Structure formats: structure tokens, C-alpha cells
């Protein structure tokens, strides 16, 4: 009986379907700039979930479409994805143009909704694969300096942490192939464990509006996006070989991809880097060599309606720390500050001795998605990461130089699932939940007091973000998110410190065992957070206006909570606080941009108010057997950040263009009425570029970078009595260095360009005039100058 | 039939989701079995005590200068014991480094002697005293665990001892006890009140 009624309904459905669903939607997809047909562009009718590729003439034809209004999504590997609304009353022809931005090698796309993941009112900047190839030997922090408003906090030439609009470290979230990177990102000398060559493109989302990734990204989100693999039978590869004079180093990266029309694909990629000591204009930066080994593989199938993928990546590096920066106490620091040169200078060497860092990071991800007709897309993902970070110091017993002083093993498991409702008319809604389990093990075999304790962390998050299209030019967005975090740690405290802090008054129930001079304590803390975002995007002819408000919360990290002892690499004693609560940040961002025409601009002012903002500053001097050491303590304060990013691009002639970038950030500690430390100074960059696609894709550019002196900084100078000379000296670690001006040059040309193989040669010179300078954002600026001239020769192969 | 095809697709998804779940929970289950408490670390390279024994060569009393900081980098201030020496006298000094957080106390000066090539002590004072090295490492360069001290006129001031790790012993003045060009890392820097009376 049941089958008969189902059968009848089915027949009725077929009948009804047959009447109104025999229409055809067809058209041509071409390039906006020169009307060339775009071959192999993917045209997707959202809702019925029909996908088709354009043919050799850029034509597409979708048959059997029902009457109604749909969203049509057109994407092409070398263009930005475009979504348009289509009303079908009968057979319809739609011709669409796509912007082929990536051809202009020098252009960094100022704005873009490159993948539909980001909210439209968020500030997203997109770095294309060509940009990545140009910077193949660079680290993530160095690469991202090309984005206006993004700076970097460096520890020497190879450790670079991205600073987005004044914020870095735990306040910047990094998504690597949809997996949130879990390394010890609280450390200011811990660079992100990312091989930029594993990416197809990189996006930077400034601010906290990207709620689907986390509620604590009060600085922003950096997304390492996978390489897009076409759904057709193909085999292709990409290799880049780089040689650099500064560091006498070599970098090699290669990737090979096999794809099938059935939707299956397999891809593998690897990178090797080998660098020796860096050189400042006047001297060698001894012990600043670098080694990197990275590998990634991506296997799966993607038939648009469904897909399963397995991604695995391995990243390992060894970083030499400038010998002259590894000091004893204040007396040694005074010697270093008074010297105009590093106190240890040797001849060039590839050897990396202590002090050095060694990190290896494994990441594995299994993801599945399925699209449901007239509903949306469901994704589910499980990922696992293993991060092992070791720091080697010089030991009294030199045979022990291979025993690390810091040995941290971090294992993270995470699970997430999302549903993207994309068939609602004029609106979209995305919801999701995620769970995370993390285990940190601080190896006692080091024989050195643990920098951060053993802990287990449990996170849970749930979010909903939606957008509503009022009309073609006006969109509103809203998002909410809830996060729960629990940290369960076991820490050994020095009894004298525990008492000095008065912790026995609040936390005596946490004490597990008393060893006399040490206490074993079991802190268990929970943090709840509610985050939100609201935005508007409005378009008036060529001008786009965006406004965004975001509320984000960040729980204190293990270093802020548990620090208690000498942080040798920072040459100071650092003290955390168990009583810290969530940082709460409110950010208002405005964006005005013009993306079409010869003259384009993007103006982006913002202001951010952060309660319970964690800062680290000096509180005194402590006498130890090594001499006097500074004592720095973490505290929470009210902070205010405001800034402005400006991008200008002017196309003078068909081949010559001008680009100007300006960024300014001001940060204030409102409670103490002083400036915040390490706020990037004002920076302007101007570039003149010549591109000739007709003559072997020749390109040439000259860039002028000017960094102003940071006039707003906290005065943290202090006096210390030096017994050997019986004098009182001033230790000045806060006065920023002066302004500096650098010139960079870049050129490239295709040497081979046929259907199957392309080869391109590029030359890049940074610090062209070998200028001596020190940068405020380099934590090693007290000991040595920054890098001198660096000439890089690059060979890019596509086959 | 359309309905059967739909069922197959859904059950396939459910199976795939189930597999993912099982893998996930398996990992979590295995990892959370570690309930052992973390091991205590008693810092190996910790030096809590610097003892300088000055034996008079002129029949005077032995003076012992002592620096003691049991909580290492902790907040407690160190206990420093100074001394008074006879004027115009000669003393033989011996340096002992100890880690007194363990019992029996660890003798670190023996380790320094073994790695003598990588260590050198330097002395300085606000008083008019002279010091000379009495010991040598494998390469014939001074270490400073044993030294001679000559006092002069009556005065009151301080006496400092610095231990440098991996100094450049061949640089100008270093073998004579001048720290200026020595370089290396400071492992010890303590100051004692000292008077000559």
C-alpha cells in the first residue's frame, strides 16, 4: 500500500517536474578585460546543484532547469569567483564576464571574496599563487608584509610572526587547509609552522568577523587555502628554485598533481630550504642559519555534490639564534647595548649551533562534504596535529648541548561540522559546531624548569552567521558564536613565588603536593565567551562601502597564566597570573574602495577597544647568581587601538602602473595612560611597475619603503647599579630606533611558454643599497642591524 | 527508483560519518589515559652557593665570603656574607660552587674544573687589591678556582667575582684577569662587601 502511494506521488512529481522544468540556461563566460572566452570555467546553478564546465568557446548549457530565481556561481582558477542572480521564466541566455586579476603579476588583489567562506563585510586581502611563487623562499610573516596593515614581529631574519593591525601571537588565528594551526603561538619568538608553498592562495582577514574559525581572533585570521584542482583528466607540476646571496642559501619547492574527470585527485608537494648565516652591511650575523623540510599530500574526490579528502602535511625547521643575543643578566645587556656591533662575530658558516630552535609539525585532516538539493552544503571534518618544539641553549657541560632546554610536545584533536544553507532566496545562513582536545607535555628530561606546564585543554564552539541581500547593492550580515574552554594543568611553583603572589588565599585547594621549595599545583580553569559580528556592505556605482562591528573574546594563553621563571631567550624573568580573565574586544571597521578603472583605492580606518588586554612589562630587578635580571610581569589593562590602511593603485599606461600602500596604527594603554609596546610604526611603500604580457610577460618594478620612527612607545627605561664599576647605569630597552628607507627591485621574464611547459626567470633585490638599519619590530634590534642587501634569483617551472 | 537511490546516498553518508566519528573517538580515548602526575625537575645546572675561602699566608684568620640564594630565580633575596682582611697581607683564595637544593650538596666547581677550557673567573674590587691566577686549564690558560689576593691600605668597599662561560681566553688582557675583551656568557656575577682593616 505504502509503495503505491509513494509511486503515485513520484509520478505526480515527475509530471509536475516535466511541465515547468524543461528550460535551458546557457551563455558565454569571458574575461572582463579583453573579452577572451574562459575555457574550463565552472558554472554552478545553486539550488538544483547542477555544475557544468565551459567548453573551448567559453560556452555553457544547463538543461532541465525549473522556473524560478537562482544564484549562478561562476569560478575559474585564475579569476575571482562571481555570483549573480538569474531569473528563469523560459529559456535564458546569460553572458558573464569574470575579472582575470591574477595576470597582473605585481598586483595583490586589494579586496576579494575569493572563496565564499568569508563574510562579505569582512576586510579580506587575497594573495594569489603567482605572488606565492615570487616569494617562495620567504616565511609566512615575511610574505604577508606585502598586505597593507600587516606587519611582522621578528626575532632575527627567520622568525617572523604576522602582526595584523597591531595585534599578533595568540590574537591571530591561522587556518591551514581548514585546520586551525595549533603550535605554541603564545611565544613571541615562535614563528608559524607553515610552508607557504603548500598553499594555492593565502587570504588575510583583518579583524574578528570571521566567526566560523573561532571567537578569539581579535587580530584577524590568516587562511592558507588549498590549491584548486580542476575536475578533468590532467597531470601537472610546479617547481620553484631560489638562490639567495644573503645567507648563501637555496630553496627548492615542487608539486605534482594528477586529477581525473571522475573527480578523483592526488597531489604531493615538498619544500627544502638551506641557509647559512645572514649578513648585515657591516658584519656577519653569526649563528643565524636556517633549515626547512616540508611535505604535503592531498588525496580525495570532489564531484561537486559530494567530496571526501585526506590532507597530510609535515613541516620541520631548524633555526639558529644570533649568538650575540643570548645573554646573561643586565650587566651583559648593558655591554650589548653599549656596543655598536654584536659582541660575537665569526666568519660565515652554514653550521647552526646552540642557541637554536627545532620544530616539527604534523597535520592530518579528513574531511567530507555533501550538497543537498535546495538546501545547502554539509561538511564534516576531523583533524589531528602534533607539534614538537625544542629550544637548545649553550650548556655548562658542552656535551649536553644536544639536550634541549625547552621540549614541548603538543597534540591536538579537533572535530567540526557545518551546514551552509545557500538555497534561501536573497539570504544565506551558515551554522556549525566544533570540539577540540589538546594535550601539552613539557618534557622533564631537559633538567630545566618548565617554561609552560603540562596541561589538557577542552574547547567547544558553536556559531551561526547569516547574510541578507536587501538588493543588488546592499547586503547585511550578522553572526554569533559561543565558545567554552577548559584548561586542566599540573604546574610546579616555587614556594617562595606562590606565597609572594598571595595565591594561597585563592587557590590553596589546587595544591596537590608540597615538596618544600616547590609545590605541585593543579589549576583547573573554565572560560566562557560570546562573540558576535554585524556588518553592512553597500555599493554606489563603482564605490564599495563596508562597515563592520565585531565582538571577540580571547581566553588567556598558557604563557600568560603560568609563566614563572627565567625565560632565557628573552634574558628576563617572566611572571604570569592565574587570576586572568578573557580579553574582550570591540572593533569598528570602515572600508571605502574603488576596484574598477585606471585609478583604484582602498581606504580602511578602524578602531578597537579591548578590555582585559594582556600586556607584559618590566616591574623590577631581581638579584640572582648570574647578576641582576629584569623581572617582567603580565597584567591586564584597558587598551585602545586605532589605525588606517590606505592602498592606491594607478594604471598610468597599459603597461605602467603605480602602487602606494600606507599603514598607521596607534595603541594606548588606557589604564596607565602610556603607549603600548611593539606597535608597528607608520610605514609607506610606493612601487612603480612595468608589465608587458606581449613580450614574454616581462615585468620590472622598483619599490621604495619608508618606515618612520615610532614616536609613541612606553618609556620602560630603568636604572641599575653596577658593582664592578660602582656606577649607576640606565638600561634602555624601549627607545625605538630611527626611521629608515629601503629600495627594492624586482624583475621577471618568461623564457619558455608553450602549451605544456612554462618557465620563468625572476630576479629580486631587497635592500638594494645595502643600508644599515634597525627595525623596532625586531626583538634582536638591541644586538645587531637588520639584513643587508639580498639578491635572489628564481626559476619557476610549470609543466 | 528514485527513493531507493536516495536512501543509498544517505546511508553511504552515514557510514562515512560513522567512520570519521570512530577514528576521532579512538584517538581521544587513547590519549586521555595518561593520568600520571608530571615529574618534578630539580634544576641540574643550578648554582645556589658561591663560597670564597681566603687563607692568610701571614698567619692571620681565614675569611670566608659566602653568597647563598636557595630559591634560584625566585623572589627571595640572596644571603651575602662579607668579610674583613688584614692590610698589606697575602691570601690564597679557593672558590667553591655548590647546589644546596639537593642533599648532599652537589659540587659544581668540579664540573667547572673538568670543563676548564670553557670557563674563566674574573675578579674586581673597589679596594686597592691585586689578584693573580694560581691554576691552569689543559691549554695553559687560567681558570681562577684558585687565586692569590694581595691587600694594601685600610679601606671599605666591595669585591666581585664573575664566571664567564666560553670566553675568548686569547683576547687581549684576558689571561691577566681583564674581562673587557673576554666575551662569552656570564654564569656567575656576585658582589661581596669587603673591607681591609
Amino acid at each position: 500500500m505504502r509503495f503505491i502511494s509513494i509511486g503515485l506521488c513520484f509520478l505526480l512529481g515527475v509530471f509536475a517536474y516535466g511541465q515547468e522544468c524543461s528550460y535551458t540556461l546557457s551563455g558565454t563566460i569571458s574575461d572582463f578585460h579583453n573579452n577572451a572566452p574562459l575555457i574550463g570555467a565552472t558554472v554552478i546553478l545553486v539550488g538544483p546543484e547542477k555544475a557544468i564546465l565551459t567548453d573551448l568557446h567559453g560556452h555553457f548549457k544547463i538543461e532541465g532547469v525549473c522556473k524560478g530565481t537562482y544564484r549562478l556561481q561562476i569560478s575559474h582558477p585564475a579569476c575571482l569567483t562571481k555570483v549573480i542572480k538569474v531569473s528563469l521564466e523560459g529559456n535564458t541566455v546569460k553572458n558573464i564576464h569574470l575579472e582575470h586579476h591574477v595576470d597582473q603579476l605585481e598586483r595583490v588583489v586589494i579586496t576579494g571574496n575569493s572563496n565564499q567562506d568569508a563574510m562579505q563585510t569582512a576586510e579580506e586581502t587575497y594573495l594569489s599563487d603567482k605572488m606565492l611563487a615570487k616569494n617562495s623562499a620567504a616565511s609566512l610573516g615575511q610574505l604577508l608584509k606585502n598586505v597593507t596593515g600587516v606587519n611582522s614581529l621578528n626575532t632575527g631574519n627567520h622568525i617572523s610572526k604576522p602582526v595584523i593591525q597591531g595585534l599578533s601571537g595568540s590574537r591571530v588565528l591561522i587556518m591551514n587547509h581548514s585546520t586551525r594551526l595549533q603550535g605554541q603561538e603564545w611565544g613571541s619568538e615562535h614563528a608559524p609552522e607553515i610552508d607557504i608553498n603548500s598553499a594555492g592562495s593565502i587570504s588575510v582577514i583583518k579583524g574578528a568577523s570571521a566567526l566560523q574559525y573561532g571567537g578569539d581572533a581579535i587580530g584577524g585570521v590568516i587562511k592558507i587555502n588549498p590549491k584548486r584542482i580542476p575536475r578533468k583528466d590532467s597531470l601537472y607540476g610546479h617547481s620553484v628554485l631560489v638562490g639567495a646571496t644573503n645567507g648563501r642559501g637555496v630553496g627548492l619547492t615542487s608539486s605534482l598533481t594528477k586529477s581525473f574527470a571522475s573527480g578523483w585527485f592526488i597531489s604531493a608537494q615538498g619544500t627544502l630550504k638551506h641557509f647559512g648565516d645572514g649578513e648585515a652591511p657591516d658584519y656577519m650575523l653569526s649563528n643565524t642559519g636556517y633549515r626547512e623540510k616540508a611535505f604535503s599530500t592531498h588525496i580525495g574526490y570532489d564531484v561537486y555534490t559530494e567530496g571526501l579528502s585526506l590532507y597530510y602535511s609535515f613541516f620541520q625547521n631548524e633555526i639558529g639564534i644570533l649568538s650575540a643575543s643570548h645573554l646573561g643578566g643586565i650587566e651583559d645587556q648593558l655591554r650589548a647595548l653599549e656596543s655598536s656591533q654584536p659582541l660575537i662575530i665569526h666568519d660565515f658558516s652554514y653550521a647552526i649551533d646552540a642557541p637554536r630552535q627545532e620544530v616539527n609539525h604534523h597535520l592530518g585532516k579528513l574531511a567530507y562534504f555533501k550538497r543537498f538539493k535546495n538546501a545547502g552544503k554539509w561538511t564534516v571534518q576531523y583533524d589531528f596535529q602534533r607539534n614538537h618544539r625544542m629550544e637548545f641553549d649553550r650548556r655548562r657541560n658542552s656535551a649536553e648541548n644536544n639536550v634541549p632546554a625547552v621540549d614541548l610536545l603538543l597534540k591536538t584533536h579537533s572535530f567540526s561540522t557545518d551546514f551552509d544553507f545557500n538555497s534561501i532566496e536573497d539570504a544565506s545562513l551558515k551554522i556549525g559546531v566544533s570540539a577540540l582536545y589538546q594535550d601539552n607535555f613539557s618534557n622533564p628530561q631537559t633538567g630545566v624548569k618548565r617554561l609552560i606546564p603540562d596541561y589538557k585543554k577542552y574547547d567547544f564552539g558553536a556559531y551561526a552567521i547569516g547574510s541578507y541581500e536587501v538588493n543588488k547593492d546592499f547586503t547585511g550580515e550578522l553572526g554569533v558564536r559561543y565558545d567554552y574552554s577548559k584548561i586542566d594543568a599540573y604546574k610546579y611553583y616555587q614556594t617562595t613565588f606562590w606565597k609572594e603572589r598571595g595565591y594561597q588565599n585563592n587557590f590553596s585547594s589546587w595544591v596537590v603536593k608540597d615538596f618544600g621549595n616547590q609545590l605541585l599545583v593543579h589549576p583547573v580553569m573554565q572560560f566562557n565567551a560570546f562573540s558576535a559580528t554585524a556588518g553592512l556592505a553597500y555599493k554606489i556605482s563603482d564605490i564599495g562601502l563596508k562597515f563592520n562591528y565585531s565582538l571577540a573574546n580571547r581566553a588567556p594563553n598558557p604563557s600568560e597564566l603560568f609563566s614563572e621563571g627565567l625565560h632565557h631567550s628573552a634574558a628576563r624573568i617572566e611572571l604570569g597570573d592565574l587570576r586572568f580573565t578573557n580579553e574582550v574586544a570591540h572593533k569598528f571597521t570602515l572600508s571605502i574602495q574603488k576596484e574598477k578603472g585606471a585609478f583604484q583605492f582602498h581606504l580602511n580606518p578602524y578602531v578597537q577597544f579591548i578590555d582585559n588586554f594582556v600586556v607584559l612589562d618590566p616591574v623590577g630587578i631581581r638579584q640572582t647568581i648570574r647578576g641582576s635580571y629584569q623581572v617582567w610581569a603580565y597584567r591586564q589593562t584597558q587598551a585602545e587601538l586605532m589605525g588606517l590602511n590606505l592602498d592606491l593603485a594607478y594604471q598610468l599606461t597599459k603597461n605602467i602602473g603605480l602602487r602606494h600602500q600606507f599603514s598607521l596604527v596607534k595603541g594606548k594603554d588606557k589604564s596607565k595612560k602610556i603607549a603600548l609596546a611593539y606597535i608597528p610604526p607608520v610605514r609607506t611603500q610606493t612601487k612603480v611597475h612595468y608589465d608587458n604580457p606581449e613580450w614574454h610577460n616581462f615585468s620590472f618594478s622598483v619599490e621604495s619603503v619608508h618606515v618612520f620612527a615610532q614616536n609613541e612607545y612606553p618609556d620602560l627605561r630603568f636604572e641599575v647599579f653596577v658593582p664592578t664599576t660602582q656606577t649607576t647605569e640606565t638600561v634602555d630597552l624601549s627607545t625605538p630606533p630611527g626611521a629608515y628607507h629601503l629600495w627594492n627591485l624586482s624583475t621577471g621574464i618568461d623564457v619558455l611558454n608553450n602549451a605544456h611547459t612554462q618557465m620563468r626567470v625572476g630576479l629580486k633585490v631587497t635592500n638594494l643599497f645595502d643600508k644599515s638599519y634597525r627595525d623596532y619590530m625586531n626583538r634582536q634590534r638591541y644586538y645587531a642591524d637588520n639584513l643587508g642587501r639580498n639578491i635572489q634569483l628564481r626559476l619557476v617551472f610549470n609543466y | 527508483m528514485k527513493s531507493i537511490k536516495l536512501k543509498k546516498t544517505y546511508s553511504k553518508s552515514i557510514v562515512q560519518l560513522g567512520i570519521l566519528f570512530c577514528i576521532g573517538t579512538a584517538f581521544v580515548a587513547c590519549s586521555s589515559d595518561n593520568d600520571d602526575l608530571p615529574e618534578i625537575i630539580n634544576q641540574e645546572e643550578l648554582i645556589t652557593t658561591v663560597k670564597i675561602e681566603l687563607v692568610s699566608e701571614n698567619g692571620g684568620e681565614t675569611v670566608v665570603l659566602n653568597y647563598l640564594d636557595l630559591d634560584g630565580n625566585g623572589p627571595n633575596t640572596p644571603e651575602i656574607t662579607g668579610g674583613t682582611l688584614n692590610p698589606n697581607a697575602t691570601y690564597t683564595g679557593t672558590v667553591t660552587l655548590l647546589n644546596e637544593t639537593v642533599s648532599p650538596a652537589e659540587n659544581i666547581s668540579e664540573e667547572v674544573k673538568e670543563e676548564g677550557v670553557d670557563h674563566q673567573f674574573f675578579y674586581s674590587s673597589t679596594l686597592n687589591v691585586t689578584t693573580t691566577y694560581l691554576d691552569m686549564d689543559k691549554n695553559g690558560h687560567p681558570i681562577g678556582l684558585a687565586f692569590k689576593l694581595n691587600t694594601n691600605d685600610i679601606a671599605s668597599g666591595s669585591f666581585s667575582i664573575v664566571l664567564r662561560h666560553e670566553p675568548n681566553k686569547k683576547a687581549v688582557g684576558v689571561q691577566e684577569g681583564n674581562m673587557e675583551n673576554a666575551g662569552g656568557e656570564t654564569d656567575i656575577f656576585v658582589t661581596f662587601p669587603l673591607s681591609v682593616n
Side-chain angles (χ1 to χ4, degrees):
Chain A
M1 192 59 210
R2 209 169 11 123
F3 284 106
I4 297 167
S5 52
I6 289 171
L8 273 170
C9 289
F10 181 59
L11 281 168
L12 196 67
V14 171
F15 186 68
Y17 187 84
Q19 288 293 71
E20 305 220 305
C21 294
S22 56
Y23 301 121
T24 303
L25 174 65
S26 60
T28 312
I29 311 294
S30 40
D31 184 351
F32 177 76
H33 296 288
N34 57 10
N35 276 320
L38 288 173
I39 304 159
T42 309
V43 182
I44 296 159
L45 194 64
V46 179
E49 306 299 335
K50 285 181 192 280
I52 203 154
L53 288 175
T54 56
D55 63 16
L56 288 166
H57 303 283
H59 289 324
F60 72 92
K61 189 154 99 172
I62 305 174
E63 290 170 315
V65 189
C66 303
K67 190 164 112 168
T69 309
Y70 302 94
R71 272 206 285 271
L72 197 66
Q73 182 179 302
I74 307 106
S75 58
H76 188 269
C79 310
L80 288 183
T81 302
K82 191 169 189 169
V83 178
I84 60 162
K85 219 153 80 165
V86 161
S87 268
L88 228 73
E89 301 288 318
N91 290 336
T92 308
V93 175
K94 206 90 191 162
N95 295 322
I96 299 143
H97 291 103
L98 284 191
E99 295 254 26
H100 224 112
H101 275 294
V102 184
D103 265 343
Q104 291 165 277
L105 303 172
E106 299 296 329
R107 281 284 298 277
V108 166
V109 175
I110 293 173
T111 180
N113 287 317
S114 57
N115 37 73
Q116 300 299 298
D117 278 355
M119 281 180 73
Q120 286 187 59
T121 63
E123 279 305 299
E124 184 183 8
T125 306
Y126 169 81
L127 292 167
S128 68
D129 59 337
K130 292 218 167 59
M131 193 71 188
L132 299 181
K134 271 191 79 180
N135 292 280
S136 171
S139 66
L140 180 67
Q142 289 164 343
L143 168 74
L144 293 178
K145 282 185 91 152
N146 287 298
V147 177
T148 313
V150 180
N151 228 292
S152 65
L153 179 64
N154 306 314
T155 303
N157 20 318
H158 292 291
I159 299 173
S160 201
K161 289 183 81 75
V163 178
I164 304 179
Q165 293 179 336
L167 301 173
S168 66
S170 300
R171 301 182 180 109
V172 170
L173 210 150
I174 298 178
M175 297 299 292
N176 187 2
H177 289 76
S178 311
T179 303
R180 181 171 171 163
L181 188 70
Q182 299 285 345
Q184 311 281 2
E185 59 276 331
W186 47 264
S188 40
E189 76 273 25
H190 299 170
E193 300 86 345
I194 300 277
D195 170 19
I196 61 168
N197 298 297
S198 68
S201 64
I202 295 179
S203 309
V204 179
I205 303 171
K206 300 170 211 163
S209 50
L211 286 183
Q212 62 267 44
Y213 307 114
D216 56 347
I218 67 178
V221 180
I222 297 167
K223 285 173 64 209
I224 312 298
N225 303 314
K227 298 186 208 268
R228 284 204 233 174
I229 300 172
R231 195 183 146 183
K232 58 177 184 177
D233 286 315
S234 71
L235 174 66
Y236 58 90
H238 172 82
S239 296
V240 183
L241 179 67
V242 182
T245 56
N246 199 321
R248 300 179 210 181
V250 175
L252 172 66
T253 184
S254 245
S255 76
L256 194 65
T257 308
K258 173 98 190 93
S259 66
F260 299 90
S262 61
W264 279 90
F265 61 86
I266 174 162
S267 172
Q269 174 266 337
T271 301
L272 282 169
K273 288 187 195 169
H274 188 102
F275 280 78
D277 293 337
E279 241 178 286
D282 301 321
Y283 43 78
M284 199 63 67
L285 299 167
S286 289
N287 201 47
T288 57
Y290 183 75
R291 307 275 184 275
E292 186 183 303
K293 277 185 217 149
F295 171 75
S296 72
T297 178
H298 198 186
I299 304 165
Y301 74 90
D302 183 340
V303 294
Y304 181 69
T305 50
E306 187 179 44
L308 180 70
S309 77
L310 175 69
Y311 177 75
Y312 167 74
S313 81
F314 169 68
F315 179 88
Q316 180 185 61
N317 65 9
E318 195 185 340
I319 311 175
I321 305 292
L322 184 74
S323 299
S325 70
H326 215 71
L327 301 170
I330 293 176
E331 291 83 7
D332 278 359
Q333 233 158 12
L334 272 167
R335 279 193 300 143
L337 290 170
E338 276 154 31
S339 171
S340 59
Q341 290 195 106
L343 295 175
I344 301 176
I345 301 174
H346 297 305
D347 289 335
F348 176 83
S349 161
Y350 281 106
I352 299 177
D353 296 318
R356 65 188 168 91
Q357 284 181 11
E358 234 181 76
V359 185
N360 64 58
H361 192 103
H362 297 264
L363 189 154
K365 177 192 86 150
L366 188 62
Y368 172 75
F369 78 85
K370 187 168 172 65
R371 287 181 202 268
F372 294 92
K373 285 202 171 120
N374 301 311
K377 179 182 176 183
W378 172 56
T379 49
V380 62
Q381 174 179 311
Y382 163 74
D383 54 78
F384 170 69
Q385 290 177 75
R386 184 185 186 276
N387 178 293
H388 191 192
R389 175 172 283 276
M390 290 172 282
E391 284 172 28
F392 296 84
D393 284 348
R394 279 198 286 249
R395 302 283 217 158
R396 178 167 309 116
N397 184 350
S398 54
E400 286 203 330
N401 268 356
N402 284 320
V403 177
V406 173
D407 185 341
L408 301 169
L409 182 62
L410 189 71
K411 290 192 212 150
T412 313
H413 300 268
S414 115
F415 174 83
S416 66
T417 184
D418 309 78
F419 201 96
D420 194 345
F421 296 92
N422 57 16
S423 297
I424 313 164
E425 190 161 343
D426 295 333
S428 75
L429 176 68
K430 188 166 179 178
I431 60 171
V433 294
S434 63
L436 178 146
Y437 167 72
Q438 184 171 81
D439 182 298
N440 182 61
F441 175 66
S442 218
N443 196 346
Q445 296 294 310
T446 57
V448 176
K449 189 176 163 73
R450 296 172 176 89
L451 200 58
I452 59 162
D454 286 358
Y455 69 81
K456 290 197 189 356
K457 190 151 95 91
Y458 308 87
D459 283 352
F460 171 77
Y463 73 89
I465 43 178
S467 72
Y468 180 66
E469 206 176 283
V470 178
N471 60 52
K472 184 169 67 84
D473 297 323
F474 188 26
T475 306
E477 289 179 313
L478 191 66
V480 292
R481 189 185 168 107
Y482 167 72
D483 283 290
Y484 166 79
S485 180
K486 175 171 161 181
I487 185 160
D488 183 316
Y490 277 96
K491 174 162 169 73
Y492 282 95
Y493 275 98
Q494 276 200 296
T495 315
T496 49
F497 172 77
W498 183 261
K499 293 213 169 94
E500 191 209 37
R501 269 293 158 110
Y503 281 160
Q504 71 270 26
N505 301 327
N506 314 8
F507 308 120
S508 54
S509 60
W510 284 348
V511 178
V512 171
K513 216 166 165 187
D514 190 335
F515 288 88
N517 63 340
Q518 289 190 67
L519 296 168
L520 178 59
V521 183
H522 181 199
V524 179
M525 295 180 242
Q526 294 177 77
F527 301 94
N528 282 288
F530 172 71
S531 314
T533 180
L536 299 166
Y538 193 63
K539 219 166 167 145
I540 309 168
S541 74
D542 268 356
I543 314 270
L545 277 163
K546 282 198 252 186
F547 170 76
N548 182 282
Y549 162 73
S550 69
L551 164 67
N553 284 260
R554 181 187 74 86
N557 66 40
S559 172
E560 292 160 350
L561 289 167
F562 305 120
S563 282
E564 185 242 337
L566 181 65
H567 188 171
H568 205 104
S569 60
R572 63 191 184 206
I573 293 166
E574 293 177 350
L575 306 173
D577 198 325
L578 289 173
R579 296 164 291 209
F580 282 164
T581 55
N582 282 348
E583 281 185 349
V584 182
H586 302 265
K587 189 166 187 175
F588 298 88
T589 313
L590 184 66
S591 154
I592 305 164
Q593 69 202 59
K594 179 177 180 293
E595 280 188 276
K596 288 207 169 90
F599 177 65
Q600 300 184 8
F601 68 85
H602 184 190
L603 183 68
N604 172 217
Y606 56 90
V607 66
Q608 193 168 27
F609 304 98
I610 310 175
D611 285 331
N612 305 325
F613 184 76
V614 181
V615 293
L616 178 63
D617 47 33
V619 294
I621 297 169
R622 189 173 286 179
Q623 255 200 306
T624 73
I625 202 148
R626 280 183 147 128
S628 314
Y629 273 92
Q630 300 169 62
V631 179
W632 287 53
Y634 284 101
R635 70 182 161 88
Q636 294 196 293
T637 183
Q638 243 189 306
E640 189 182 286
L641 285 148
M642 67 173 125
L644 179 71
N645 297 332
L646 176 64
D647 271 272
L648 295 169
Y650 184 54
Q651 200 66 26
L652 273 147
T653 71
K654 187 173 77 124
N655 298 339
I656 304 173
L658 215 80
R659 173 129 192 255
H660 179 82
Q661 291 167 271
F662 172 86
S663 67
L664 163 102
V665 186
K666 282 159 114 60
K668 261 190 228 106
D669 176 340
K670 298 291 286 229
S671 316
K672 280 208 163 171
K673 295 191 172 30
I674 56 172
L676 290 173
Y678 285 111
I679 294 291
V682 177
R683 183 189 170 94
T684 81
Q685 257 169 270
T686 312
K687 187 193 285 198
V688 178
H689 55 96
Y690 172 83
D691 301 285
N692 194 339
E694 267 107 59
W695 190 66
H696 304 283
N697 264 324
F698 174 71
S699 74
F700 179 82
S701 71
V702 176
E703 181 179 59
S704 149
V705 178
H706 188 93
V707 176
F708 290 81
Q710 178 54 281
N711 296 321
E712 290 173 27
Y713 60 94
D715 186 352
L716 305 168
R717 288 175 298 176
F718 56 92
E719 311 262 290
V720 69
F721 179 72
V722 183
T724 42
T725 54
Q726 293 282 299
T727 54
T728 305
E729 309 283 340
T730 308
V731 183
D732 184 358
L733 295 170
S734 52
T735 306
Y740 63 89
H741 191 114
L742 299 175
W743 289 89
N744 301 325
L745 201 128
S746 177
T747 181
I749 191 163
D750 284 351
V751 291
L752 187 67
N753 202 338
N754 59 45
H756 301 286
T757 330
Q758 291 101 50
M759 180 166 136
R760 190 174 174 83
V761 177
L763 182 80
K764 184 159 85 159
V765 186
T766 49
N767 194 356
L768 182 64
F769 297 110
D770 206 22
K771 178 101 185 268
S772 283
Y773 71 98
R774 296 205 182 186
D775 182 60
Y776 180 50
M777 301 298 285
N778 185 353
R779 293 166 67 254
Q780 289 191 341
R781 69 171 196 275
Y782 311 115
Y783 318 113
D785 287 347
N786 266 40
L787 286 181
R789 185 185 306 125
N790 189 7
I791 303 170
Q792 282 189 29
L793 185 66
R794 181 178 69 246
L795 294 163
V796 182
F797 300 87
N798 283 301
Y799 42 91
Chain B
M1 292 282 280
K2 187 183 175 185
S3 47
I4 296 169
K5 197 177 174 190
L6 267 167
K7 252 195 189 162
K8 236 181 162 174
T9 324
Y10 280 120
S11 61
K12 186 175 165 196
S13 320
I14 289 166
V15 170
Q16 283 166 335
L17 175 59
I19 292 169
L20 271 166
F21 228 90
C22 291
I23 297 169
T25 51
F27 271 108
V28 177
C30 288
S31 325
S32 52
D33 271 348
N34 184 9
D35 281 324
D36 297 322
L37 296 178
E39 227 180 272
I40 190 165
I41 298 174
N42 285 308
Q43 215 148 332
E44 286 170 5
E45 306 205 339
L46 181 67
I47 304 173
T48 60
T49 315
V50 179
K51 188 167 89 167
I52 302 180
E53 203 179 349
L54 296 161
V55 175
S56 171
E57 286 183 14
N58 315 104
E61 270 179 33
T62 300
V63 173
V64 178
L65 305 170
N66 204 57
Y67 173 100
L68 174 66
D69 189 355
L70 280 172
D71 76 341
N73 296 326
N76 285 4
T77 45
E79 287 169 38
I80 307 175
T81 314
T84 307
L85 302 175
N86 294 326
N88 301 309
T90 308
Y91 290 85
T92 308
T94 316
V95 182
T96 311
L97 306 174
L98 300 169
N99 175 3
E100 293 191 87
T101 60
V102 294
S103 190
E106 215 183 319
N107 190 333
I108 311 282
S109 17
E110 281 173 14
E111 247 185 74
V112 173
K113 206 170 187 177
E114 275 163 40
E115 302 270 314
V117 177
D118 291 331
H119 293 94
Q120 187 168 338
F121 285 92
F122 296 91
Y123 309 97
S124 62
S125 178
T126 55
L127 305 165
N128 186 5
V129 296
T130 52
T131 53
T132 352
Y133 291 111
L134 288 177
D135 59 6
M136 256 195 275
D137 67 21
K138 281 177 248 183
N139 299 334
H141 300 306
I143 304 171
L145 283 161
F147 64 99
K148 195 183 288 197
L149 181 88
N150 291 302
T151 60
N152 286 295
D153 34 321
I154 293 172
S156 200
S158 66
F159 181 73
S160 302
I161 176 172
V162 171
L163 173 62
R164 284 274 168 92
H165 181 210
E166 288 183 11
N168 181 1
K169 294 200 184 187
K170 294 192 214 147
V172 175
V174 178
Q175 287 193 70
E176 287 77 46
N178 185 343
M179 208 166 54
E180 210 181 302
N181 300 317
E185 249 182 85
T186 305
D187 273 356
I188 292 174
F189 183 174
V190 304
T191 305
F192 304 94
L194 189 72
S195 45
V196 175
N197 204 346

